[in-house]
Amino acid sequence: MADVLVKETTNPYEIVKGQIRHACEALELPEIAYELLKAPKRFLEVQIPVRMDDGTVRLFTGYRSQHNDALGPTKGGIRFHPAVHPDEVRALSMWMTLKCSLLGLPLGGGKGGVVCNPKEMSERELEELSRGYIRAIAPIVGPEKDVPAPDVYTNPQIMAWMMDEYSRLEGRNVFGLITGKPVEVGGSLGRSEATGRGCVVTVARAAERIGLDLTRATVAVQGFGNAGSVAARLIAERGARVVAVSDSKGGIHAPGGLDVDAVLRHKRESGTVLGFPGAREIGNEELLTLDVDILIPAALENQLTAENAPRVRARIVGEAANGPTTPEADAILRRNGVLVIPDVLANAGGVTVSYFEWVQNLYNFYWTEGEVNQRLEEMMGRAFDRVYAMHRERGVSMREAADMVAVQRVYDAMKARGWLH
Ligand code: NAD
């Protein structure tokens, strides 16, 4: 079992291919559907020369994967990380196809990456790398072709540099090239809260479906960063009692409920949630198996495993993080009647507001934060309903249902476009 786990968790390309094959088979699609979906339509490798601060020139390797654009231009983040690998970039672009399709967006799946360690680079070197990368992939990106966004170790500033460089090449402003930009240069209001907000919408729907009154529910949130802290704050606003949160240093537990805003202030001042007055300190492992109604993993992948899943007591798991549950843990949770809202659904708020940003850029007409949030809630709610209906009708897990809904929509588009004969 351990070998299987290691193999499954370290080979994302194999995992996503398996998911797509499984969905194609469950939907009884012709073999050509899987053949078209099992690899990216286009994959580009580039070399980027950067003059370093010490005067030497260093070559960096970058990738851009465009998996499937049957539904519209491809979309997906750019990762700057030493461990970026072409198969990982391929796999991430395939998950983006599923996520965009599931949410009903007119977008396909893409992803990019550069092998580098931004923590060891100066701001000037990082800017030169960002500009060099977008110049290298410029022939295949653009608002109507492929629209990148931030991912691990890339941020709004990097998006602004890339948009600026591409605009220079084109000789005009092209804000719609890329999303996740600062608000001053075409970024959308509401983007930074979107993932946590979307997650809470899906958790609230799930609670409704299983007859759990949110105002009486208790919640534990693992990870108190962008996704987790917003999810904790917004679920508390809906009346739930957040009894435990954690960060990389450990967790805190207060059965009577935590004042999430006060915990946020405490973390901002001290750098950690630990030491929050009136709360007991717990380990991250203990947090996952607390006696709560709702568990929101919002930190890292592979947190719920075959080892701890049997002890999970929550009735709903909302996967704000990407890949927090191993396949074995997933099967155990399902057997134990836990409703798992899969990552492609629960954390799709980010890409949904990225889509809104692109739309606003194309129209040059900007929405209020209230409009963004309202549209986000509508789209997340509809996506949840589609997945839940498939889950009930076909007797499959929410994760299988999400993959099936997503693959079916891409298949229908490919069929309508005449790609299957
Ligand atoms: P972040 O860096 O803002 O926050 C991560 C948090 O996890 C931090 O509080 C960190 O201290 C904590 N953490 C790290 N190791 C931990 C551990 N072992 N146990 C408990 N906590 C730990 O990152 P984020 O943007 O909030 O992303 C969190 C997850 O959500 C990731 O899986 C990411 O892929 C996913 N996600 C985020 C977005 C988004 O828009 N931010 C969108 C989709 C998915």
Side-chain angles (χ1 to χ4, degrees):
M1 177 113 98
D3 282 343
V4 173
L5 250 182
V6 168
K7 183 166 177 284
E8 280 179 342
T9 52
T10 58
N11 199 335
Y13 192 32
E14 293 306 318
I15 294 178
V16 67
K17 276 197 289 188
Q19 273 178 261
I20 292 177
R21 172 165 276 297
H22 188 68
C24 287
E25 285 170 1
L27 293 163
E28 296 177 9
L29 301 182
E31 185 62 22
I32 184 68
Y34 176 69
E35 291 300 315
L36 280 166
L37 291 171
K38 74 179 185 190
K41 178 173 178 172
R42 186 179 289 119
F43 190 85
L44 181 65
E45 175 175 334
V46 296
Q47 304 299 330
I48 311 146
V50 173
R51 183 168 298 281
M52 307 302 282
D53 290 344
D54 65 7
T56 60
V57 174
R58 225 181 111 185
L59 265 189
F60 291 87
T61 301
Y63 307 98
R64 185 72 192 169
S65 173
Q66 298 172 345
H67 173 237
N68 182 288
D69 63 353
L71 288 164
T74 47
K75 176 119 199 64
I78 297 166
R79 181 171 291 198
F80 279 7
H81 194 275
V84 162
H85 184 278
D87 270 357
E88 179 197 51
V89 177
R90 284 186 181 90
L92 292 166
S93 71
M94 292 159 80
W95 273 309
M96 283 306 296
T97 299
L98 298 181
K99 212 180 266 194
C100 292
S101 173
L102 180 61
L103 264 291
L105 308 181
L107 296 168
K111 200 80 184 189
V114 177
V115 187
C116 66
N117 188 351
K119 290 188 174 171
E120 289 175 355
M121 297 173 72
S122 70
E123 175 148 318
R124 194 204 57 77
E125 290 168 344
L126 212 49
E127 177 173 352
E128 200 170 308
L129 178 65
S130 305
R131 290 183 183 274
Y133 173 70
I134 204 74
R135 276 199 307 276
I137 66 166
I140 66 162
V141 295
E144 278 90 32
K145 296 187 206 168
D146 182 13
V147 186
D151 189 66
V152 176
Y153 292 161
T154 54
N155 55 33
Q157 173 62 74
I158 290 176
M159 300 303 108
W161 287 327
M162 291 187 180
M163 180 277 291
D164 182 71
E165 188 68 21
Y166 187 86
S167 296
R168 287 188 197 186
L169 285 175
E170 290 280 304
R172 64 193 169 97
N173 275 330
V174 191
F175 284 5
L177 166 77
I178 205 162
T179 61
K181 301 180 294 296
V183 173
E184 306 79 61
V185 285
S188 180
L189 296 173
R191 173 61 187 90
S192 57
E193 289 204 340
T195 302
R197 183 176 296 278
C199 178
V200 169
V201 171
T202 62
V203 168
R205 290 254 165 159
E208 233 175 84
R209 293 296 182 281
I210 67 165
L212 174 68
D213 178 357
L214 214 52
T215 63
R216 291 167 183 271
T218 52
V219 186
V221 181
Q222 185 198 44
F224 206 60
N226 180 292
S229 68
V230 173
R233 189 165 56 71
L234 295 179
I235 206 159
E237 271 178 23
R238 287 181 184 241
R241 187 151 40 101
V242 177
V243 296
V245 300
S246 67
D247 58 30
S248 57
K249 302 205 174 87
I252 52 173
H253 181 212
L258 292 160
D259 175 344
V260 179
D261 284 328
V263 179
L264 265 170
R265 279 195 299 277
H266 176 80
K267 180 163 169 90
R268 219 171 285 137
E269 282 155 20
S270 69
T272 172
V273 298
L274 296 183
F276 184 72
R280 176 175 75 94
E281 296 197 353
I282 55 169
N284 263 300
E285 183 68 21
E286 188 185 344
L287 178 138
L288 298 172
T289 53
L290 283 177
D291 187 10
V292 290
D293 300 305
I294 297 166
L295 175 63
I296 300 183
L300 308 173
E301 58 279 3
N302 302 325
Q303 295 301 296
L304 293 167
T305 62
E307 196 274 314
N308 59 23
R311 289 178 283 118
V312 167
R313 286 188 273 177
R315 295 174 65 192
I316 296 172
V317 172
E319 294 186 338
N322 276 314
T325 311
T326 67
E328 287 81 0
D330 208 32
I332 294 166
L333 294 175
R334 185 160 181 231
R335 271 203 302 280
N336 290 347
V338 182
L339 189 70
V340 177
I341 311 168
D343 45 10
V344 282
L345 173 61
N347 70 32
V351 71
T352 303
V353 174
S354 276
Y355 159 62
F356 295 162
E357 179 176 336
W358 176 71
V359 170
Q360 292 170 78
N361 295 154
L362 296 184
Y363 277 87
N364 259 313
F365 181 72
Y366 288 84
W367 309 347
T368 64
E369 190 163 356
E371 287 169 323
V372 169
N373 291 344
Q374 190 199 335
R375 289 191 166 107
L376 171 65
E377 295 192 8
E378 282 166 13
M379 293 195 80
M380 294 295 301
R382 277 201 297 272
F384 179 90
D385 290 348
R386 282 193 288 269
V387 174
Y388 193 77
M390 180 72 88
H391 156 69
R392 295 302 298 239
E393 277 160 26
R394 302 291 298 263
V396 294
S397 71
M398 288 286 282
R399 195 179 310 279
E400 289 166 312
D403 293 342
M404 287 165 71
V405 170
V407 167
Q408 181 73 56
R409 186 165 169 255
V410 179
Y411 172 78
D412 291 343
M414 294 197 299
K415 187 157 186 273
R417 296 177 68 144
W419 292 6
L420 304 175
H421 55 260

